[in-house]
Amino acid sequence: MNAQQTRQTFLDFFEKKSHHIVSSAPMVIKDDPTLMFTNAGMNQFKDIFLGNSPVKFPRIANTQKCLRVSGKHNDLEEVGHDTYHHTMFEMLGNWSFGDYFKKDAINWAWELLTDVYKIDKDRLYVTIFGGDEGDNLQPDMEAHDLWKAHVPENRILRGNKKDNFWEMGDSGPCGPCSEIHVDIRNNQERAEVDGATLVNTGDPKVIEIWNLVFMEFNRLANGSLQPLPAKHVDTGMGFERLCMVLQQKQSNYDTDIFQPIIGKIADISGIRYGAADKTDIAMRVIADHVRAIAFAIADGQLPSNNKAGYVIRRILRRAVRYGFTFLKTDEPFIHKLIPVLSEQMGSYFTELKSQQVLVEKVISEEEASFLRTLSHGITKFNNYLESNQQNALIDGAFAFELYDTYGFPIDLTGLMAREHGKEVDMAGFSKGLELQKERSRKDASIEVEDWIVLDDKTPETFVGYDTLSVTTKITRYRKVHTKGKDAYQIALASTPFYAESGGQVGDRGVLKSGDQIIQVLDTRKENNLIIHLTGAIPANPAEILVATVSEDARTDTANNHSATHLLHHALRNIIGTHVEQKGSYVHPDYLRFDFSHFQKVTEEEIHEIEKQVNSMIRQNLVLDEMRDIPFDKAKEAGAIALFGEKYGDSVRVIRFGNSVELCGGTHVHATGQIGLFKITSESAIAAGVRRIEAITAGKAEAFYHNQLSLISEIKELVKNPVDPVKGIRNLLEENQKLRGQLEQISLEKVNELYHQLMAGSRDINGCRLITGKVNLDAGSAKDLAFRLMDASDNHLIILGTLHDDKPGITVAISGPLVNTGKYNAAAIVRELAKEISGGGGGQAHFATAGGKNPGGIESALVKAAALVARIAS
Ligand code: ATP
Ligand code: MG
């Protein structure tokens, strides 16, 4: 059975068992502060388990894109070295929300594996939770007895809390789990060693494929367990591992999921897969990493320098480095694997196909840029070696610098060190790393206390599309502590406050409880619960209060949000439908829109876009809002859905004329309210991604007002109220003309001076001395001196100059005179400069000096005559 069929069989099986099939949520998580990437199928249902969202379908199944490279689940170091852990993998899962429990979950899992997929029953082992004293929990005998109907007693193994008790986090839903393991060894190996002894020991041939979690408790922040009112099932099966078993392979990488990519890597590098351990590992690492990177980018997460973006960048660099070191690839090549990946997975995960060009561009640029630092780092490393030849250890702080500044993985530094018979001081390196981690831990740490629940019957609802103020009450609140400050998070029965999402900032405003007014500083969403951030709570939290959103900010934000839709629409009209939204930020003061496009948006295009948006504003298009319509209906209506966004089954559609978008944000009632739209900047933010920033309404008006004041001022200055441009042109022309005249005049002046000075020359012992005081700048004085110097073989010129109140002395001497060895302009100028309180120098035939005392020019010239007489005699 090939991979496609295996996936479809799973979905069909559970569909027949009345499960609603949903699509994978994005791998990159945008609205959960506790998690950057989806690491299990259940993540997208967290808010249902927590009771924050209603259960629409009690039974669900899907395949989910997961990434395990950070936090609680980090398999990065295993990847490629073993054969069954990946960074990105698909998790097949089925869920029950308060519906079926252990019995059906266990029976169906068994039926699917043995009846449908026909896995040999003798190769399967199961584990159950063996109990835990600390939590005062008994072994899960219910699961044990259910398994006994299928599996002999000696294949039902008891596991500890680490393997067989699943928890969502430090607090929250949890419960015992039951895993299914498969033994893929050959018969001889199986005869020699009992598979049961290898379960959960890290043996690559006796591995877990499916985990069935039975959620029955809620763990409180103080560590104690409370039974959940409704019990749930959450299962997760590794798709790649399942394919390996069904295709009778010994490694996930030998299945049709990975083989095409590995084949392409072999082609590019000219190295055969299977040729050597080291090159095999490199090929597996690259084949694995390219999937993680491609899916992350397709989901809208570009590589960057922080948070989720940095995780992706590191994975990519890791892949580049494996290629560089072991496959000797010194040119970008990973992007060339994307067409193969898209061919292999693009029919189920269509985002890979539709985003293919962008994914390739981003990867190829990242590769090229890291390859540049790679070789810089290597140069830096070689320089270090040269100046530290006597040391056997590479300084840990230096290794950390390579890691931190040049993006050098430490194992590469280690490898290069060994090639030169040296080792890296790992303790020093770890210290640098620890310090850095400590810094980021401090930045991120927030302590959260348990919710204090005042009302768990009333569902929290958002009413802010229709009103900005309601009388309501607190349903729960909790204290949070960040960076040494206490704050509160408050949930309300009904709230007009919009929580930050879809790029739109959270509302601010006030809660009025009796006489007490509490500022709402921000509004966020956590697991679908709207949380109001405040610095205080009402004296009596259970009392009725009035929640009111700041109207001005909300209006400005709505203007900018609706304008963002119009901009998106105009962009697609004018520069093409390849424009895909890559991010947006809607603030009361401005809006920002990021989109895929491969060159600069030209001036003319910008102008066209502004014109089109403003025309849609003037048409005063009335908001057509459809709340809670089925996703498919929305798409039929032409709504643009974004990859990397999580949409529920029912969605909200916002339409202004031909602009139709899925959107949860707040909008104007008719576009006329936006008033005016103006783009303020256009720039590149990453390979293939551009950013436009714009302003609307009052801010746009202020912008034009400022421009107009500027023009008024110019009109006044150029004294041409009707045509200031003509006024400025006239000024420039006049300026040009005057400059020409000035040059002419000074030329004439120099000519006149030349003749005057020549006439005043006198002979001193065969040398003709020419002196005089001139009001010329340095350049003109030099020209004049050179002309005088060239006029004869025996001229010695000494000019005292005055320009802009600054005195100077210029000395020039004809060549033949210099050649006598008696006369030196630099020596003369130094001597005379004393008179003007200055200094200078130059060459034997020409030298200048500047000074501070204009009154000294006359005496310098008197002194000059005496000096020359002395030299000449
Ligand atoms: P393991 O002990 O093998 O790392 P796990 O206990 O971390 O597995 P779960 O968190 O229970 O696994 O995830 C459910 C299923 O997802 C596992 O049974 C396994 O088949 C699959 N799985 C888990 N981690 C990975 C991974 N890194 N790559 C591929 N499949 C995985
Ligand atoms: Mg694991």
Side-chain angles (χ1 to χ4, degrees):
M1 195 183 272
N2 71 22
Q4 293 267 22
Q5 293 158 341
T6 304
R7 187 193 289 116
Q8 200 53 50
T9 302
F10 178 90
L11 300 174
D12 291 346
F13 177 84
F14 281 102
E15 192 163 31
K16 279 202 203 99
K17 308 273 185 216
S18 308
H19 285 63
H20 179 67
I21 309 297
V22 301
S23 43
S24 173
M27 192 171 78
V28 184
I29 297 181
K30 290 178 183 145
D31 55 0
D32 184 345
T34 63
L35 204 59
M36 281 196 278
F37 300 103
T38 301
N39 61 22
M42 58 75 59
N43 293 162
Q44 69 163 313
F45 306 114
K46 234 170 110 179
D47 33 357
I48 302 184
F49 289 125
L50 289 168
N52 296 339
S53 294
V55 177
K56 278 200 189 143
F57 301 96
R59 297 179 183 189
I60 283 181
N62 82 347
T63 181
Q64 171 65 48
K65 302 175 273 186
C66 296
L67 188 65
R68 292 195 166 179
V69 291
S70 56
K72 182 178 155 204
H73 290 292
N74 188 346
D75 293 335
L76 191 58
E77 294 309 320
E78 268 70 55
V79 170
H81 293 265
D82 80 11
T83 47
Y84 61 106
H85 279 97
H86 303 295
T87 53
M88 181 269 163
F89 65 99
E90 281 180 64
M91 197 188 280
L92 303 167
N94 58 296
W95 286 271
S96 152
F97 304 108
D99 187 16
Y100 64 84
F101 202 46
K102 295 182 191 179
K103 182 164 155 248
D104 288 326
I106 287 176
N107 289 345
W108 289 339
W110 190 257
E111 182 188 340
L112 177 62
L113 292 182
T114 61
D115 272 9
V116 180
Y117 286 135
K118 304 256 184 275
I119 299 178
D120 183 356
K121 291 178 186 162
D122 283 351
R123 291 184 174 269
L124 296 175
Y125 294 85
V126 300
T127 65
I128 60 152
F129 177 52
D132 185 80
E133 259 178 41
D135 276 330
N136 195 20
L137 290 172
Q138 297 301 311
D140 187 357
M141 291 316 285
E142 190 186 353
H144 174 271
D145 295 345
L146 288 164
W147 279 122
K148 253 181 68 181
H150 306 294
V151 192
E153 184 85 40
N154 63 352
R155 288 171 180 273
I156 307 175
L157 312 168
R158 295 184 183 201
N160 57 17
K161 190 167 152 182
K162 183 185 139 277
D163 284 324
N164 285 86
F165 195 86
W166 188 90
E167 313 222 16
M168 190 147 93
D170 294 338
S171 59
C174 56
C177 61
S178 191
E179 307 157 332
I180 304 171
H181 294 253
V182 59
D183 185 347
I184 55 169
R185 294 175 305 157
N186 64 32
N187 288 339
Q188 191 192 336
E189 286 169 315
R190 287 167 65 208
E192 282 167 9
V193 180
D194 179 6
T197 62
L198 299 175
V199 167
N200 271 336
T201 59
D203 189 301
K205 293 190 183 169
V206 181
I207 58 168
E208 176 189 328
I209 53 167
W210 204 346
N211 193 358
L212 318 178
V213 179
F214 310 120
M215 278 189 217
E216 44 188 334
F217 302 108
N218 184 26
R219 192 178 292 279
L220 303 180
N222 70 10
S224 64
L225 293 173
Q226 234 180 15
L228 280 175
K231 300 191 194 326
H232 314 294
V233 171
D234 155 31
T235 85
M237 171 152 62
F239 172 64
E240 296 76 7
R241 293 184 190 180
L242 176 66
C243 289
M244 165 180 78
V245 175
L246 299 187
Q247 293 173 28
Q248 272 143 34
K249 304 288 187 196
Q250 303 273 308
S251 156
N252 289 4
Y253 295 95
D254 292 341
T255 64
D256 61 345
I257 303 174
F258 288 96
Q259 272 304 308
I261 304 175
I262 289 182
K264 180 77 182 178
I265 301 173
D267 272 359
I268 294 172
S269 63
I271 300 173
R272 185 175 53 84
Y273 184 59
D277 258 6
K278 282 201 163 157
T279 49
D280 282 358
I281 291 175
M283 288 186 191
R284 290 199 293 264
V285 167
I286 295 163
D288 171 275
H289 288 11
V290 69
R291 294 176 4 125
I293 303 156
F295 275 100
I297 298 171
D299 267 358
Q301 184 56 63
L302 299 172
S304 75
N305 259 341
N306 54 46
K307 298 199 182 141
Y310 189 56
V311 175
I312 300 308
R313 174 164 284 170
R314 265 178 32 221
I315 297 177
L316 195 124
R317 289 188 172 183
R318 217 166 168 273
V320 173
R321 201 284 299 185
Y322 267 97
F324 189 82
T325 307
F326 299 107
L327 307 180
K328 307 292 173 223
T329 47
D330 51 8
E331 269 175 32
F333 74 102
I334 294 172
H335 64 103
K336 295 184 188 155
L337 307 175
I338 299 301
V340 183
L341 178 66
S342 155
E343 180 63 34
Q344 160 68 18
M345 300 193 74
S347 61
Y348 190 80
F349 297 101
T350 51
E351 64 270 34
L352 276 188
K353 278 232 157 82
S354 75
Q355 308 274 305
Q356 190 175 328
V357 181
L358 176 76
V359 172
E360 285 175 32
K361 265 214 138 72
V362 171
I363 294 181
S364 114
E365 187 139 313
E366 276 284 314
E367 283 189 85
S369 104
F370 181 54
L371 282 168
R372 280 196 292 275
T373 42
L374 246 185
S375 53
H376 281 162
I378 288 171
T379 310
K380 178 125 184 144
F381 180 82
N382 290 337
N383 291 344
Y384 174 91
L385 281 187
E386 208 148 284
S387 45
N388 292 279
Q389 280 170 3
Q390 67 292 355
N391 301 339
L393 269 188
I394 306 272
D395 186 24
F398 174 69
F400 182 73
E401 185 193 335
L402 280 182
Y403 162 84
D404 203 32
T405 318
Y406 296 89
F408 253 57
I410 185 64
D411 47 353
L412 175 59
T413 311
L415 187 78
M416 287 160 52
R418 280 192 294 283
E419 284 165 5
H420 294 85
K422 295 181 194 272
E423 288 292 327
V424 176
D425 162 25
M426 284 306 292
F429 174 78
S430 306
K431 208 168 111 197
L433 200 62
E434 238 352 275
L435 282 174
Q436 193 193 46
K437 276 194 186 151
E438 187 60 32
R439 277 194 300 274
S440 55
R441 252 201 303 275
K442 272 206 183 118
D443 288 348
S445 85
I446 101 164
E447 281 168 45
V448 181
E449 292 186 5
D450 276 334
W451 286 107
I452 296 180
V453 179
L454 301 179
D455 174 357
D456 60 357
K457 301 276 174 313
T458 317
E460 288 92 356
T461 47
F462 174 66
V463 296
Y465 292 139
D466 306 307
T467 176
L468 293 185
S469 185
V470 289
T471 302
T472 179
K473 62 179 181 171
I474 297 179
T475 53
R476 45 180 145 171
Y477 67 92
R478 65 181 173 186
K479 202 173 188 180
V480 293
H481 195 80
T482 40
K483 295 182 187 154
K485 269 205 236 140
D486 277 341
Y488 290 88
Q489 298 186 342
I490 297 178
L492 300 173
S494 63
T495 178
F497 282 81
Y498 181 83
E500 176 184 322
S501 62
Q504 180 178 330
V505 298
D507 276 336
R508 292 160 171 253
V510 294
L511 303 180
K512 201 159 173 271
S513 171
D515 291 342
Q516 200 181 354
I517 291 183
I518 294 169
Q519 299 291 332
V520 174
L521 308 170
D522 198 357
T523 312
R524 305 234 179 95
K525 216 185 251 179
E526 203 176 299
N527 300 314
N528 220 23
L529 181 69
I530 297 174
I531 294 174
H532 307 75
L533 268 65
T534 65
I537 45 156
N540 183 356
E543 212 154 75
I544 294 289
L545 54 78
V546 180
T548 309
V549 171
S550 152
E551 188 172 349
D552 285 353
R554 171 65 91 76
T555 306
D556 291 345
T557 306
N559 287 339
N560 284 337
H561 202 151
S562 301
T564 306
H565 286 202
L566 304 186
L567 168 64
H568 188 186
H569 185 69
L571 276 169
R572 290 174 70 95
N573 272 346
I574 290 161
I575 64 178
T577 47
H578 63 279
V579 165
E580 291 253 12
Q581 176 168 349
K582 287 288 154 219
S584 77
Y585 185 67
V586 180
H587 187 273
D589 293 342
Y590 68 101
L591 65 97
R592 196 165 78 197
F593 188 75
D594 301 339
F595 55 99
S596 48
H597 182 54
F598 302 111
Q599 66 252 10
K600 196 169 171 43
V601 185
T602 64
E603 282 291 329
E604 297 85 68
E605 285 166 336
I606 292 275
H607 187 60
E608 266 315 299
I609 292 162
E610 283 177 346
K611 258 172 67 180
Q612 199 167 106
V613 171
N614 280 312
S615 145
M616 289 175 83
I617 290 172
R618 283 191 301 274
Q619 286 164 41
N620 200 21
L621 302 166
V622 174
L623 166 68
D624 174 11
E625 180 201 9
M626 289 161 267
R627 276 185 216 169
D628 267 330
I629 70 165
F631 184 77
D632 295 338
K633 271 254 168 64
K635 282 197 93 169
E636 257 166 48
I640 304 173
L642 308 178
F643 283 113
E645 288 302 320
K646 175 179 157 189
Y647 295 109
D649 303 295
S650 56
V651 291
R652 180 164 173 260
V653 174
I654 295 296
R655 180 205 289 273
F656 293 107
N658 293 327
S659 147
V660 190
E661 298 210 20
L662 297 180
C663 179
T666 61
H667 286 275
V668 301
H669 296 298
T671 56
Q673 183 193 308
I674 302 168
L676 193 57
F677 171 85
K678 173 81 189 100
I679 291 174
T680 50
S681 76
E682 192 276 342
S683 59
I685 56 163
V689 182
R690 314 287 311 179
R691 165 171 294 176
I692 281 183
E693 291 182 319
I695 48 182
T696 62
K699 285 277 185 295
E701 188 178 284
F703 173 87
Y704 283 110
H705 177 77
N706 289 340
Q707 297 294 309
L708 289 174
S709 315
L710 199 70
I711 293 173
S712 298
E713 210 171 310
I714 292 171
K715 282 178 182 168
E716 218 160 281
L717 286 173
V718 300
K719 305 220 163 22
N720 190 339
V722 184
D723 191 351
V725 174
K726 191 169 166 221
I728 291 175
R729 243 183 230 130
N730 287 346
L731 275 180
L732 288 174
E733 268 165 29
E734 201 173 314
N735 192 10
Q736 179 85 8
K737 213 158 66 198
L738 289 174
R739 198 186 289 265
Q741 283 173 2
L742 200 64
E743 264 162 31
Q744 186 57 34
I745 291 170
S746 64
L747 203 66
E748 282 165 14
K749 183 171 152 196
V750 169
N751 267 337
E752 208 180 297
L753 281 170
Y754 174 83
H755 293 295
Q756 264 176 23
L757 288 167
M758 281 290 266
S761 70
R762 54 208 146 122
D763 185 83
I764 302 181
N765 247 343
C767 146
R768 281 206 84 80
L769 177 65
I770 300 172
T771 62
K773 186 179 166 190
V774 296
N775 294 338
L776 293 176
D777 60 64
S780 311
K782 184 177 173 185
D783 287 347
L784 177 61
F786 269 64
R787 267 178 73 191
L788 290 164
M789 178 176 85
D790 292 342
S792 159
D793 280 351
N794 64 346
H795 278 175
L796 196 160
I797 304 102
I798 300 178
L799 302 177
T801 63
L802 191 66
H803 182 70
D804 280 347
D805 288 337
K806 290 221 178 67
I809 291 165
T810 298
V811 179
I813 307 174
S814 304
L817 216 49
V818 174
N819 290 341
T820 63
K822 284 204 306 195
Y823 304 94
N824 185 313
I828 295 171
V829 101
R830 269 197 295 274
E831 186 59 31
L832 300 180
K834 290 175 190 162
E835 298 299 313
I836 55 167
S837 311
Q843 294 143 289
H845 75 288
F846 180 77
T848 57
K852 290 188 210 97
N853 171 26
I857 294 178
E858 304 293 342
S859 56
L861 293 177
V862 172
K863 193 173 170 183
L867 182 64
V868 173
R870 210 165 57 229
I871 298 170
S873 65

